[in-house]
Amino acid sequence: LYPSQEAHDSALNSIRAFLKSHTAYDAFPVSFRLIVLDTKLNVKKALQCLLLNGVVSAPLWNSDKSKFAGMLTVLDIIHLIQYYYRTASYDYAAADVETFRLESLRGLSTSAIPTSNFTHQSLDIEKELGVDQPPLLREHPSSSLYDAARLLIQTHARRLPLLDHDTETGHEVIASVLTQYRLLKFISINCHKEIQQLHIPLRRLKIGTYVANLRHEVPEGQNPYYPIATASLNTPVFDVVHMFSERSISAVPIIDEEGIVVNLYETVDVITLVRLGAYQSLDLKISEALNQRSPDFPGVVICTSSDSLGTLLQLIKMRRVHRLVVVEGEEEERRGGKKGRLLGIITLSDVLQYVIGAASIGEGIEPPEEDNKTANS
Ligand code: ADP
Protein backbone atom coordinates (compact mmCIF):
# COMPACT_ATOMS: atom_id res chain seq x y z
CA LEU A 1 0.00 0.00 0.00
CA TYR A 2 1.11 3.56 -0.60
CA PRO A 3 2.20 5.38 2.51
CA SER A 4 -0.09 8.10 3.60
CA GLN A 5 -0.80 10.88 1.18
CA GLU A 6 -0.94 13.13 4.22
CA ALA A 7 2.72 12.61 5.11
CA HIS A 8 3.62 13.22 1.50
CA ASP A 9 1.62 16.45 1.29
CA SER A 10 2.97 17.72 4.57
CA ALA A 11 6.56 17.04 3.43
CA LEU A 12 5.87 18.93 0.19
CA ASN A 13 4.41 21.86 2.11
CA SER A 14 7.39 21.95 4.35
CA ILE A 15 9.77 21.99 1.33
CA ARG A 16 7.80 24.91 -0.12
CA ALA A 17 7.98 26.77 3.20
CA PHE A 18 11.72 26.15 3.21
CA LEU A 19 12.03 27.68 -0.26
CA LYS A 20 9.96 30.68 0.78
CA SER A 21 12.23 31.33 3.74
CA HIS A 22 15.49 31.14 1.80
CA THR A 23 16.93 33.42 -0.83
CA ALA A 24 18.77 32.66 -4.04
CA TYR A 25 21.93 33.82 -2.23
CA ASP A 26 21.53 30.94 0.18
CA ALA A 27 21.73 28.46 -2.66
CA PHE A 28 25.04 29.79 -4.01
CA PRO A 29 27.77 27.21 -3.77
CA VAL A 30 30.51 28.05 -1.25
CA SER A 31 32.83 28.89 -4.09
CA PHE A 32 32.08 29.13 -7.76
CA ARG A 33 33.26 30.54 -11.03
CA LEU A 34 31.06 32.57 -13.29
CA ILE A 35 31.82 32.60 -16.99
CA VAL A 36 30.38 35.69 -18.70
CA LEU A 37 30.64 36.13 -22.47
CA ASP A 38 30.95 39.46 -24.24
CA THR A 39 28.29 39.86 -26.94
CA LYS A 40 31.04 40.85 -29.38
CA LEU A 41 32.54 37.36 -29.28
CA ASN A 42 31.83 35.16 -32.25
CA VAL A 43 30.03 31.86 -31.82
CA LYS A 44 33.16 29.79 -32.37
CA LYS A 45 35.09 31.51 -29.57
CA ALA A 46 32.05 31.42 -27.31
CA LEU A 47 31.70 27.67 -27.85
CA GLN A 48 35.37 27.10 -27.18
CA CYS A 49 35.05 29.06 -23.98
CA LEU A 50 32.02 27.08 -22.81
CA LEU A 51 33.73 23.77 -23.56
CA LEU A 52 37.02 24.82 -22.01
CA ASN A 53 35.26 25.70 -18.80
CA GLY A 54 33.00 22.69 -18.78
CA VAL A 55 29.77 24.70 -18.80
CA VAL A 56 26.82 24.57 -21.20
CA SER A 57 25.52 28.09 -20.85
CA ALA A 58 26.69 31.57 -19.86
CA PRO A 59 25.27 35.04 -19.29
CA LEU A 60 25.99 37.56 -22.04
CA TRP A 61 27.39 40.99 -21.34
CA ASN A 62 27.00 44.05 -23.53
CA SER A 63 30.16 45.97 -22.73
CA ASP A 64 29.10 49.06 -24.71
CA LYS A 65 26.18 49.57 -22.41
CA SER A 66 27.54 47.75 -19.37
CA LYS A 67 24.41 45.68 -19.34
CA PHE A 68 23.36 42.11 -19.05
CA ALA A 69 22.21 40.86 -22.45
CA GLY A 70 20.54 37.50 -21.84
CA MET A 71 21.82 33.95 -21.64
CA LEU A 72 23.62 31.87 -24.24
CA THR A 73 22.56 28.24 -23.99
CA VAL A 74 23.07 25.02 -25.90
CA LEU A 75 19.60 25.43 -27.35
CA ASP A 76 20.71 28.71 -28.99
CA ILE A 77 23.46 26.83 -30.78
CA ILE A 78 21.03 24.10 -31.80
CA HIS A 79 18.65 26.70 -33.21
CA LEU A 80 21.49 28.40 -35.03
CA ILE A 81 22.64 25.18 -36.67
CA GLN A 82 19.07 24.37 -37.60
CA TYR A 83 18.58 27.83 -39.04
CA TYR A 84 21.63 27.60 -41.25
CA TYR A 85 20.77 24.16 -42.46
CA ARG A 86 17.42 25.39 -43.53
CA THR A 87 18.46 28.57 -45.17
CA ALA A 88 21.96 28.12 -46.47
CA SER A 89 24.17 25.61 -48.19
CA TYR A 90 26.22 23.16 -46.25
CA ASP A 91 29.52 24.96 -46.77
CA TYR A 92 28.04 28.33 -46.07
CA ALA A 93 26.54 27.02 -42.88
CA ALA A 94 29.84 25.53 -41.75
CA ALA A 95 31.75 28.73 -42.41
CA ASP A 96 29.14 31.07 -41.10
CA VAL A 97 27.93 29.56 -37.87
CA GLU A 98 31.35 30.09 -36.42
CA THR A 99 31.88 33.69 -37.44
CA PHE A 100 28.48 34.80 -36.30
CA ARG A 101 28.67 37.26 -33.42
CA LEU A 102 26.69 36.56 -30.28
CA GLU A 103 25.08 39.99 -30.45
CA SER A 104 23.47 39.15 -33.77
CA LEU A 105 21.76 36.15 -32.27
CA ARG A 106 18.12 36.42 -31.32
CA GLY A 107 17.89 40.07 -32.34
CA LEU A 108 20.08 41.03 -29.41
CA SER A 109 21.35 43.94 -31.44
CA THR A 110 17.93 45.25 -32.39
CA SER A 111 18.14 47.96 -29.75
CA ALA A 112 20.54 50.88 -30.11
CA ILE A 113 23.44 48.87 -31.49
CA PRO A 114 24.14 49.74 -35.13
CA THR A 115 24.33 46.61 -37.24
CA SER A 116 26.05 48.20 -40.21
CA ASN A 117 29.55 47.80 -38.75
CA PHE A 118 29.11 44.11 -38.28
CA THR A 119 29.40 41.23 -40.65
CA HIS A 120 25.83 40.19 -40.03
CA GLN A 121 22.56 41.88 -39.52
CA SER A 122 20.81 40.72 -36.45
CA LEU A 123 18.65 37.67 -36.92
CA ASP A 124 15.54 36.58 -35.25
CA ILE A 125 16.39 32.92 -35.47
CA GLU A 126 13.63 31.69 -33.20
CA LYS A 127 11.05 33.57 -35.20
CA GLU A 128 12.38 32.20 -38.48
CA LEU A 129 12.26 28.68 -37.08
CA GLY A 130 8.88 29.19 -35.49
CA VAL A 131 10.16 28.15 -32.06
CA ASP A 132 9.79 29.88 -28.70
CA GLN A 133 11.96 32.89 -27.92
CA PRO A 134 14.11 32.34 -24.85
CA PRO A 135 12.81 34.56 -22.07
CA LEU A 136 15.00 37.50 -21.09
CA LEU A 137 14.45 37.18 -17.40
CA ARG A 138 16.37 38.00 -14.30
CA GLU A 139 15.93 38.04 -10.57
CA HIS A 140 17.63 39.74 -7.65
CA PRO A 141 19.77 37.32 -5.61
CA SER A 142 17.89 38.26 -2.47
CA SER A 143 14.55 37.16 -3.87
CA SER A 144 13.14 34.00 -2.36
CA LEU A 145 13.99 30.63 -3.85
CA TYR A 146 10.30 29.96 -4.12
CA ASP A 147 9.76 33.03 -6.33
CA ALA A 148 12.84 32.16 -8.37
CA ALA A 149 11.54 28.62 -8.86
CA ARG A 150 8.13 29.91 -9.90
CA LEU A 151 9.73 32.16 -12.48
CA LEU A 152 11.78 29.24 -13.83
CA ILE A 153 8.66 27.14 -14.21
CA GLN A 154 6.42 29.82 -15.68
CA THR A 155 8.91 30.77 -18.36
CA HIS A 156 10.31 27.29 -18.86
CA ALA A 157 13.79 28.74 -18.60
CA ARG A 158 16.25 26.20 -17.30
CA ARG A 159 18.31 28.84 -15.57
CA LEU A 160 17.75 32.19 -13.96
CA PRO A 161 20.42 34.91 -14.05
CA LEU A 162 20.73 36.70 -10.72
CA LEU A 163 21.45 40.39 -11.12
CA ASP A 164 22.40 43.02 -8.60
CA HIS A 165 23.38 46.67 -8.91
CA ASP A 166 26.71 48.25 -8.16
CA THR A 167 25.77 51.02 -5.73
CA GLU A 168 28.62 53.25 -6.88
CA THR A 169 28.31 53.05 -10.63
CA GLY A 170 24.69 52.05 -10.77
CA HIS A 171 25.69 49.38 -13.28
CA GLU A 172 24.24 45.92 -13.37
CA VAL A 173 26.29 43.17 -11.80
CA ILE A 174 25.77 39.53 -12.72
CA ALA A 175 26.01 37.78 -9.38
CA SER A 176 25.31 34.19 -10.38
CA VAL A 177 22.99 31.94 -12.32
CA LEU A 178 20.47 29.76 -10.54
CA THR A 179 19.84 26.52 -12.43
CA GLN A 180 17.05 23.99 -11.99
CA TYR A 181 19.69 21.52 -10.89
CA ARG A 182 21.15 23.86 -8.25
CA LEU A 183 17.71 24.52 -6.83
CA LEU A 184 16.75 20.87 -6.59
CA LYS A 185 20.14 19.99 -5.20
CA PHE A 186 19.71 22.66 -2.51
CA ILE A 187 16.42 21.04 -1.55
CA SER A 188 17.94 17.57 -1.56
CA ILE A 189 20.76 18.67 0.75
CA ASN A 190 18.62 20.65 3.19
CA CYS A 191 15.28 18.87 3.31
CA HIS A 192 16.56 15.46 4.22
CA LYS A 193 13.70 14.59 6.57
CA GLU A 194 11.01 15.69 4.14
CA ILE A 195 12.53 13.74 1.28
CA GLN A 196 12.22 10.54 3.27
CA GLN A 197 8.47 11.09 3.32
CA LEU A 198 8.19 11.30 -0.45
CA HIS A 199 7.57 7.62 -1.10
CA ILE A 200 4.86 7.86 -3.71
CA PRO A 201 5.94 6.59 -7.15
CA LEU A 202 6.77 9.17 -9.81
CA ARG A 203 4.25 7.88 -12.29
CA ARG A 204 1.43 8.13 -9.81
CA LEU A 205 2.43 11.70 -9.11
CA LYS A 206 2.37 12.28 -12.88
CA ILE A 207 5.91 13.59 -12.87
CA GLY A 208 7.37 13.34 -16.37
CA THR A 209 6.13 12.62 -19.88
CA TYR A 210 4.89 9.11 -20.64
CA VAL A 211 4.03 6.98 -23.64
CA ALA A 212 0.32 7.49 -24.21
CA ASN A 213 -0.58 4.06 -25.52
CA LEU A 214 1.11 1.43 -23.40
CA ARG A 215 0.25 -1.33 -25.84
CA HIS A 216 1.76 0.72 -28.65
CA GLU A 217 -1.30 0.05 -30.76
CA VAL A 218 -1.14 2.89 -33.23
CA PRO A 219 -1.90 3.09 -36.93
CA GLU A 220 0.96 2.20 -39.27
CA GLY A 221 3.43 5.04 -39.72
CA GLN A 222 2.60 6.76 -36.46
CA ASN A 223 4.96 7.04 -33.53
CA PRO A 224 4.11 4.18 -31.13
CA TYR A 225 5.85 6.07 -28.33
CA TYR A 226 3.86 9.26 -28.75
CA PRO A 227 4.26 11.84 -27.25
CA ILE A 228 7.88 10.87 -26.60
CA ALA A 229 10.28 11.90 -29.36
CA THR A 230 12.58 8.94 -30.00
CA ALA A 231 15.26 7.94 -32.48
CA SER A 232 17.17 4.80 -33.42
CA LEU A 233 20.89 4.17 -33.80
CA ASN A 234 20.46 4.68 -37.55
CA THR A 235 18.75 8.07 -37.35
CA PRO A 236 20.92 10.90 -38.71
CA VAL A 237 22.03 13.33 -36.01
CA PHE A 238 20.45 16.15 -37.94
CA ASP A 239 16.96 14.66 -37.56
CA VAL A 240 17.47 14.61 -33.82
CA VAL A 241 18.74 18.20 -33.86
CA HIS A 242 15.49 19.05 -35.58
CA MET A 243 13.51 17.40 -32.76
CA PHE A 244 15.51 19.34 -30.16
CA SER A 245 14.85 22.60 -31.94
CA GLU A 246 11.23 22.07 -32.86
CA ARG A 247 10.10 20.71 -29.52
CA SER A 248 12.51 22.59 -27.26
CA ILE A 249 13.64 19.42 -25.56
CA SER A 250 17.15 18.52 -24.56
CA ALA A 251 17.28 14.75 -24.96
CA VAL A 252 15.87 11.98 -27.12
CA PRO A 253 15.87 8.32 -26.04
CA ILE A 254 17.53 6.00 -28.55
CA ILE A 255 15.57 2.76 -28.86
CA ASP A 256 15.79 -0.47 -30.87
CA GLU A 257 12.95 -2.03 -32.90
CA GLU A 258 11.50 -3.53 -29.74
CA GLY A 259 11.43 -0.18 -27.99
CA ILE A 260 14.25 -1.17 -25.65
CA VAL A 261 16.20 1.90 -24.55
CA VAL A 262 19.79 1.57 -25.77
CA ASN A 263 20.97 5.13 -25.16
CA LEU A 264 20.02 8.78 -24.89
CA TYR A 265 21.13 11.55 -27.24
CA GLU A 266 21.41 14.96 -25.59
CA THR A 267 21.80 18.53 -26.82
CA VAL A 268 25.27 18.65 -25.26
CA ASP A 269 26.29 15.78 -27.53
CA VAL A 270 25.70 18.03 -30.53
CA ILE A 271 28.08 20.57 -29.07
CA THR A 272 30.75 17.88 -28.84
CA LEU A 273 30.26 17.13 -32.53
CA VAL A 274 30.38 20.80 -33.47
CA ARG A 275 33.55 21.24 -31.47
CA LEU A 276 35.17 18.53 -33.54
CA GLY A 277 34.86 21.09 -36.28
CA ALA A 278 32.73 19.24 -38.75
CA TYR A 279 29.22 20.48 -39.22
CA GLN A 280 29.08 17.70 -41.78
CA SER A 281 29.12 15.40 -38.80
CA LEU A 282 25.44 16.17 -38.36
CA ASP A 283 24.98 13.73 -41.25
CA LEU A 284 26.43 10.99 -39.08
CA LYS A 285 24.16 8.35 -37.70
CA ILE A 286 23.45 8.48 -34.00
CA SER A 287 25.50 5.28 -33.53
CA GLU A 288 28.54 7.00 -35.07
CA ALA A 289 27.97 10.18 -33.12
CA LEU A 290 27.77 8.26 -29.85
CA ASN A 291 31.24 6.92 -30.52
CA GLN A 292 32.54 10.49 -30.34
CA ARG A 293 31.31 10.92 -26.80
CA SER A 294 33.97 11.70 -24.28
CA PRO A 295 35.04 8.67 -22.22
CA ASP A 296 33.91 10.42 -19.06
CA PHE A 297 30.29 10.58 -20.19
CA PRO A 298 28.50 9.80 -16.94
CA GLY A 299 25.97 7.41 -18.48
CA VAL A 300 22.23 7.36 -18.96
CA VAL A 301 20.18 7.26 -15.78
CA ILE A 302 17.29 4.82 -15.94
CA CYS A 303 14.43 4.39 -13.51
CA THR A 304 11.09 2.62 -13.38
CA SER A 305 7.72 4.14 -12.72
CA SER A 306 7.64 2.63 -9.26
CA ASP A 307 10.67 4.65 -8.14
CA SER A 308 9.72 7.45 -5.79
CA LEU A 309 10.25 11.19 -5.81
CA GLY A 310 12.31 10.82 -2.65
CA THR A 311 14.70 8.38 -4.36
CA LEU A 312 15.04 10.76 -7.26
CA LEU A 313 15.88 13.71 -5.02
CA GLN A 314 18.43 11.57 -3.23
CA LEU A 315 20.00 10.78 -6.59
CA ILE A 316 20.10 14.49 -7.45
CA LYS A 317 21.98 15.06 -4.20
CA MET A 318 24.63 12.56 -5.19
CA ARG A 319 25.13 13.22 -8.86
CA ARG A 320 24.55 15.80 -11.50
CA VAL A 321 21.62 14.08 -13.16
CA HIS A 322 19.52 16.14 -15.56
CA ARG A 323 17.01 13.62 -16.79
CA LEU A 324 15.97 10.02 -16.33
CA VAL A 325 14.58 7.60 -18.84
CA VAL A 326 11.69 5.62 -17.41
CA VAL A 327 11.55 2.02 -18.59
CA GLU A 328 9.16 -0.82 -18.03
CA GLY A 329 10.47 -3.05 -15.32
CA GLU A 330 9.63 -4.96 -12.21
CA GLU A 331 5.82 -4.79 -12.14
CA GLU A 332 5.51 -4.54 -15.90
CA GLU A 333 7.89 -7.42 -16.26
CA ARG A 334 5.79 -9.57 -14.01
CA ARG A 335 2.86 -8.81 -16.24
CA GLY A 336 4.82 -10.07 -19.22
CA GLY A 337 6.22 -6.78 -20.44
CA LYS A 338 9.82 -6.65 -21.50
CA LYS A 339 12.39 -5.03 -19.25
CA GLY A 340 13.99 -1.91 -20.61
CA ARG A 341 11.14 -0.91 -22.89
CA LEU A 342 10.62 2.85 -23.09
CA LEU A 343 7.88 4.18 -20.84
CA GLY A 344 8.70 7.85 -20.39
CA ILE A 345 11.16 10.58 -19.58
CA ILE A 346 11.55 12.71 -16.45
CA THR A 347 13.49 15.95 -16.55
CA LEU A 348 14.43 18.47 -13.89
CA SER A 349 11.69 20.86 -14.96
CA ASP A 350 9.13 18.09 -14.44
CA VAL A 351 10.43 17.54 -10.91
CA LEU A 352 10.64 21.23 -10.10
CA GLN A 353 7.16 21.82 -11.39
CA TYR A 354 5.78 19.16 -9.13
CA VAL A 355 7.75 20.26 -6.07
CA ILE A 356 6.76 23.90 -6.47
CA GLY A 357 3.22 22.92 -7.18
CA ALA A 358 1.66 23.79 -10.50
CA ALA A 359 -1.19 21.57 -9.37
CA SER A 360 -2.26 22.11 -5.81
CA ILE A 361 -1.41 19.53 -3.22
CA GLY A 362 -3.72 16.57 -2.98
CA GLU A 363 -4.57 16.71 -6.63
CA GLY A 364 -2.53 13.57 -7.28
CA ILE A 365 -3.64 11.99 -10.53
CA GLU A 366 -5.36 8.65 -10.23
CA PRO A 367 -2.97 5.97 -11.44
CA PRO A 368 -4.00 3.86 -14.43
CA GLU A 369 -5.69 0.58 -13.59
CA GLU A 370 -2.48 -1.43 -13.95
CA ASP A 371 -0.75 0.77 -11.40
CA ASN A 372 -3.54 0.15 -8.93
CA LYS A 373 -2.94 -3.55 -9.17
CA THR A 374 0.74 -2.99 -8.59
CA ALA A 375 0.04 -0.83 -5.62
CA ASN A 376 -2.03 -3.47 -3.97
CA SER A 377 0.10 -6.46 -4.89
P1 ADP B 1 14.29 20.51 -18.91
O1 ADP B 1 13.10 21.36 -19.13
O2 ADP B 1 14.32 19.91 -17.53
O3 ADP B 1 15.56 21.15 -19.24
P2 ADP B 1 13.65 19.20 -21.38
O4 ADP B 1 13.72 20.50 -22.07
O5 ADP B 1 14.39 18.07 -22.03
O6 ADP B 1 14.20 19.27 -19.91
O7 ADP B 1 12.14 18.79 -21.16
C1 ADP B 1 11.06 19.66 -21.28
C2 ADP B 1 9.74 18.88 -21.17
O8 ADP B 1 9.63 18.01 -22.29
C3 ADP B 1 9.61 18.01 -19.93
O9 ADP B 1 8.29 18.07 -19.49
C4 ADP B 1 9.92 16.61 -20.41
O10 ADP B 1 9.21 15.61 -19.72
C5 ADP B 1 9.54 16.66 -21.86
N1 ADP B 1 10.47 15.88 -22.70
C6 ADP B 1 11.80 15.79 -22.57
N2 ADP B 1 12.35 15.00 -23.52
C7 ADP B 1 11.31 14.56 -24.26
C8 ADP B 1 11.21 13.70 -25.41
N3 ADP B 1 12.27 13.12 -25.96
N4 ADP B 1 9.96 13.50 -25.93
C9 ADP B 1 8.88 14.08 -25.37
N5 ADP B 1 8.91 14.89 -24.31
C10 ADP B 1 10.11 15.14 -23.75
Side-chain angles (χ1 to χ4, degrees), residues 75 156-159 180 207-210 223 225-231 243-244 247-253 264-265 267 322-324 342 344-353:
L75 208 54
H156 197 195
R158 283 123 182 142
R159 42 187 63 78
Q180 299 183 136
I207 299 177
T209 306
Y210 294 88
N223 172 13
Y225 301 95
Y226 173 86
I228 309 279
T230 64
M243 294 178 201
F244 290 153
R247 301 188 54 176
S248 276
I249 49 175
S250 22
V252 164
L264 184 72
Y265 198 71
T267 45
H322 283 97
R323 56 193 65 82
L324 299 97
L342 178 67
I345 187 158
I346 297 173
T347 69
L348 294 187
S349 68
D350 296 325
V351 180
L352 193 61
Q353 196 156 339

Side-chain angles (χ1 to χ4, degrees), residues 2 11 23 63 68 74 78 98 105 111 120 129 148 164 181 207 217 220 222 241 269 286 290 292 302 331 335 343:
Y2 288 119
T23 69
S63 44
F68 167 69
V74 171
I78 299 276
E98 305 214 315
L105 275 175
S111 46
H120 298 279
L129 292 176
D164 206 344
Y181 178 75
I207 299 177
E217 292 155 348
E220 195 55 40
Q222 281 183 25
V241 168
D269 289 316
I286 290 289
L290 288 171
Q292 314 263 7
I302 302 272
E331 297 81 9
R335 295 200 311 269
L343 199 61

Side-chain angles (χ1 to χ4, degrees), residues 8-279:
H8 176 94
D9 290 353
S10 116
L12 261 189
N13 270 330
S14 149
I15 290 176
R16 290 172 193 169
F18 171 80
L19 293 177
K20 283 175 186 161
S21 64
H22 286 80
T23 69
Y25 267 129
D26 299 328
F28 281 20
V30 177
S31 106
F32 65 96
R33 224 168 15 154
L34 182 66
I35 312 293
V36 179
L37 301 174
D38 195 295
T39 49
K40 294 231 176 339
L41 273 179
N42 66 36
V43 170
K44 183 175 187 169
K45 290 219 172 102
L47 271 180
Q48 277 170 350
C49 181
L50 292 182
L51 287 159
L52 212 64
N53 288 285
V55 292
V56 292
S57 80
L60 299 172
W61 184 254
N62 179 334
S63 44
D64 291 335
K65 295 173 157 186
S66 295
K67 264 180 102 86
F68 167 69
M71 297 288 298
L72 178 76
T73 71
V74 171
L75 208 54
D76 289 322
I77 308 298
I78 299 276
H79 287 333
L80 189 60
I81 294 169
Q82 168 89 344
Y83 173 81
Y84 269 106
Y85 263 68
R86 259 213 207 160
T87 57
S89 75
Y90 223 81
D91 291 342
Y92 180 59
D96 229 45
V97 166
E98 305 214 315
T99 55
F100 211 86
R101 280 194 191 188
L102 296 181
E103 65 190 347
S104 4
L105 275 175
R106 205 188 307 146
L108 276 178
S109 57
T110 46
S111 46
I113 308 169
T115 49
S116 52
N117 298 339
F118 304 132
T119 345
H120 298 279
Q121 295 283 313
S122 95
L123 276 181
D124 208 337
I125 291 171
E126 286 82 13
K127 207 164 156 201
E128 294 276 345
L129 292 176
V131 297
D132 289 342
Q133 291 253 343
L136 188 68
L137 43 111
R138 60 185 61 207
E139 192 63 276
H140 194 273
S142 62
S143 61
S144 87
L145 277 175
Y146 186 81
D147 289 343
R150 275 226 162 279
L151 197 58
L152 279 172
I153 293 164
Q154 278 159 6
T155 56
H156 197 195
R158 283 123 182 142
R159 42 187 63 78
L160 182 62
L162 300 168
L163 265 67
D164 206 344
H165 274 97
D166 183 321
T167 41
E168 272 174 30
T169 61
H171 284 165
E172 285 180 333
V173 178
I174 307 174
S176 186
V177 177
L178 181 71
T179 59
Q180 299 183 136
Y181 178 75
R182 185 79 223 155
L183 225 162
L184 289 168
K185 182 161 179 175
F186 190 68
I187 296 172
S188 69
I189 291 170
N190 293 288
C191 304
H192 185 66
K193 249 202 256 142
E194 288 81 0
I195 287 170
Q196 288 182 332
Q197 302 295 324
L198 302 174
H199 294 294
I200 301 178
L202 293 157
R203 178 92 192 271
R204 197 174 128 94
L205 298 172
K206 264 246 162 173
I207 299 177
T209 306
Y210 294 88
V211 174
N213 185 327
L214 278 179
R215 291 186 182 81
H216 311 287
E217 292 155 348
V218 295
E220 195 55 40
Q222 281 183 25
N223 172 13
Y225 301 95
Y226 173 86
I228 309 279
T230 64
S232 78
L233 285 168
N234 291 324
T235 310
V237 171
F238 184 67
D239 288 358
V240 179
V241 168
H242 182 71
M243 294 178 201
F244 290 153
S245 181
E246 191 182 51
R247 301 188 54 176
S248 276
I249 49 175
S250 22
V252 164
I254 308 302
I255 55 174
D256 68 11
E257 308 86 57
E258 303 274 287
I260 309 282
V261 179
V262 294
N263 220 313
L264 184 72
Y265 198 71
E266 305 176 16
T267 45
V268 277
D269 289 316
V270 180
I271 305 304
T272 316
L273 279 191
V274 169
R275 180 185 50 168
L276 298 173
Y279 288 89

